[in-house]
Amino acid sequence: MSKLASEPHENRQMAEWFGADAARYDRARPGYPGALVDRIIGLSPGKNFVDVGCGTGLSSRPFQAAGCTVLGVEPDGRMADVARGRGLEVEVAKFEDWDPAGRTFDAVVSGTAWHWVDPLAGARKVAGVLAPNGLIALFDNGFELPEAVMKAQGEAYRHAVPGLSFEEPSKEDRDGDVEEYAKQIYAKQYVKAAEGIQRTGAFTEPRELRFEWERVYTRDEWLDLVPTQGGLNHLDEDARTRFLTHLGASIDDLGGAFTIHYATEGITATKR
């Protein structure tokens, strides 16, 4: 087994896991709040967008629905095929290597994908393709899982792989109020991204985005989503089946549905 790199953007093996079931990814992954889309469009000087790491188009379609023209840039052809099937124009490339062919854009956005991009090389590429006063907007969904569901997933892992050492996060690590959780997302995801933007010298000071929202998941919806999060990829098929069966039974015992608190967190900056 190859060793994963220390920086997310170097972990191409991990990045390619998500395309193995691109249709499920598109079906099960959460979208983004309308208030985020409205904010980004309001900050942009126009509606000609590029979506970096567009995946299956989950982060692109809300902007298209709001009247924007969106071009996706996506390194995984399997994800790109699903996005094209949903009406998005996509060019297959790593963003750092992508050739914009002299084109400029009003905004470059990236939803739950910028951690796969080299933060400095990516920011320099953005600066080169943005029109004057153009916008970079990076954002990600984080969530606060109910404690009972967190415990159920730990038990499901132990059931799937007997003898597995699974240490549940402490209460202090996983919760507090949603505002504190959002701050943790920002610290983990966007400090390096902001540093890359600042080092180019081409942008205004990055500003924080944060939107809080909730979604109710049924048992089947959550079991559809969990395999897209990457945590089951190291398990064989039988172990994954045991995990999902055990977790499904636990969710049934909890009433068959639960609410997740989401915090969509990110940053924006404007080209000088």
Side-chain angles (χ1 to χ4, degrees):
M1 180 181 295
S2 61
K3 183 178 180 181
L4 295 179
S6 60
E7 295 294 333
H9 66 272
E10 297 172 345
N11 286 335
R12 299 316 308 167
Q13 175 187 336
M14 184 181 295
E16 291 168 1
W17 283 342
F18 302 103
D21 194 349
R24 179 198 291 265
Y25 187 99
D26 188 67
R27 177 180 68 242
R29 279 282 187 131
Y32 300 94
L36 170 80
V37 174
D38 293 342
R39 173 74 61 82
I40 290 172
I41 292 174
L43 293 172
S44 174
K47 292 190 174 183
N48 188 19
F49 282 34
V50 169
D51 186 1
V52 177
C54 66
T56 62
L58 287 170
S59 52
S60 304
R61 293 196 291 270
F63 292 102
Q64 288 180 306
C68 297
T69 299
V70 183
L71 171 66
V73 178
E74 167 57 43
D76 191 323
R78 299 165 298 179
M79 303 285 270
D81 284 344
V82 173
R84 290 178 181 132
R86 299 290 302 274
L88 180 67
E89 181 183 353
V90 185
E91 296 180 5
V92 176
K94 286 180 60 179
F95 182 64
E96 300 95 319
D97 302 331
W98 171 61
D99 181 8
R103 293 167 291 183
T104 58
F105 302 86
D106 298 310
V108 174
V109 301
S110 185
T112 318
W114 193 256
H115 50 283
W116 302 120
V117 177
D118 181 283
L120 180 56
R124 286 172 172 163
K125 176 62 71 73
V126 172
V129 302
L130 280 179
N133 300 312
L135 182 75
I136 179 172
L138 315 175
F139 49 91
D140 198 349
N141 281 330
F143 59 88
E144 184 182 13
L145 200 62
E147 185 172 359
V149 179
M150 174 71 76
K151 289 183 176 179
Q153 292 197 166
E155 292 168 358
Y157 270 113
R158 286 187 284 268
H159 181 79
V161 186
L164 176 69
S165 176
F166 181 85
E167 183 177 353
E168 295 178 9
S170 68
K171 183 175 177 60
E172 290 75 15
D173 286 341
R174 70 174 178 258
D175 62 11
D177 58 24
V178 176
E179 181 176 353
E180 181 60 31
Y181 189 74
K183 290 178 181 177
Q184 293 174 19
I185 298 167
Y186 181 87
K188 292 177 181 178
Q189 299 288 346
Y190 289 107
V191 169
K192 288 185 178 180
E195 290 173 351
I197 290 170
Q198 291 168 325
R199 287 178 62 189
T200 68
F203 294 93
T204 59
E205 187 72 15
R207 292 189 173 185
E208 184 178 357
L209 291 169
R210 188 176 74 231
F211 297 89
E212 299 167 13
W213 52 288
E214 294 183 346
R215 174 174 168 177
V216 175
Y217 282 90
T218 66
R219 170 192 184 277
D220 290 345
E221 288 171 339
W222 188 246
L223 295 185
D224 203 24
L225 172 62
V226 168
T228 74
Q229 296 175 331
L232 302 184
N233 290 306
H234 66 289
L235 301 180
D236 61 35
E237 184 175 354
D238 287 344
R240 285 195 297 270
T241 298
R242 289 195 298 272
F243 172 86
L244 293 171
T245 300
H246 191 90
L247 179 59
S250 296
I251 294 174
D252 284 341
D253 290 342
L254 294 172
F258 59 92
T259 299
I260 283 188
H261 300 272
Y262 278 97
T264 301
E265 182 82 0
I267 54 176
T268 64
T270 299
K271 183 176 176 180
R272 296 185 190 277

